[in-house]
Amino acid sequence: MGAFLTHGGVNSMYESICAGVVNIFWPQSADQPLHAAYMSQIVRTGDGARPPARGGKVEGTSEAVAAEVEQVLADLGGPVGERKRKNLGIVRRKMLDDMREGGLATSLYRALINGFRGLFRTS
């Protein structure tokens, strides 16, 4: 049993999903809070570290952060962790299927790239 403490950037999130590792999110800015909220609250495959970096201001003591992370890790060893790993497996299978040739992610990526190519064609 283990977890990946991440800011929730898309690359880190995808890599950990492919590896089957549950995330502990600590978002900082940009798309990270959205990823953390989606994966933690909707898909329920990770946990968000609560107040520390919301809004760019770190709050609390290092002891409070350590206690929170310890609690999250303890929860991962029981039924909560089992549920998160099961949900993560579902997400992982869907993501890998979508990334295969002919899958949704591959098709959308190709359409995006082809759209860019059309922007730079000269006559």
Side-chain angles (χ1 to χ4, degrees):
M1 187 246 2
F4 175 47
L5 178 61
T6 176
H7 63 296
V10 72
N11 289 332
S12 300
M13 190 175 67
Y14 285 171
E15 289 168 3
S16 62
I17 291 170
C18 284
V21 177
V22 173
N23 289 288
I24 300 172
F25 294 100
W26 194 329
Q28 303 295 312
S29 63
D31 58 343
Q32 300 161 6
L34 178 63
H35 296 158
Y38 183 74
M39 296 303 288
S40 297
Q41 298 170 9
I42 298 170
V43 182
R44 298 257 181 231
T45 61
D47 272 301
R50 286 178 285 281
R54 304 298 196 278
K57 180 181 178 189
V58 176
E59 298 174 358
T61 64
S62 58
E63 291 83 11
V65 172
E68 185 176 336
V69 171
E70 285 177 20
Q71 182 60 54
V72 168
L73 291 174
D75 288 348
L76 289 176
V80 170
E82 289 177 28
R83 177 178 45 81
K84 289 180 187 298
R85 286 185 290 279
K86 178 182 174 191
N87 291 348
L88 180 63
I90 294 167
V91 171
R92 181 178 183 271
R93 283 188 296 281
K94 174 66 174 145
M95 191 174 86
L96 292 175
D97 284 346
D98 286 349
M99 291 169 51
R100 289 187 195 347
E101 188 63 38
L104 180 61
T106 304
S107 299
L108 291 173
Y109 178 75
R110 287 211 170 113
L112 175 69
I113 295 303
N114 288 335
F116 286 147
R117 286 184 182 138
L119 293 175
F120 300 104
R121 289 198 177 131
T122 58
S123 41

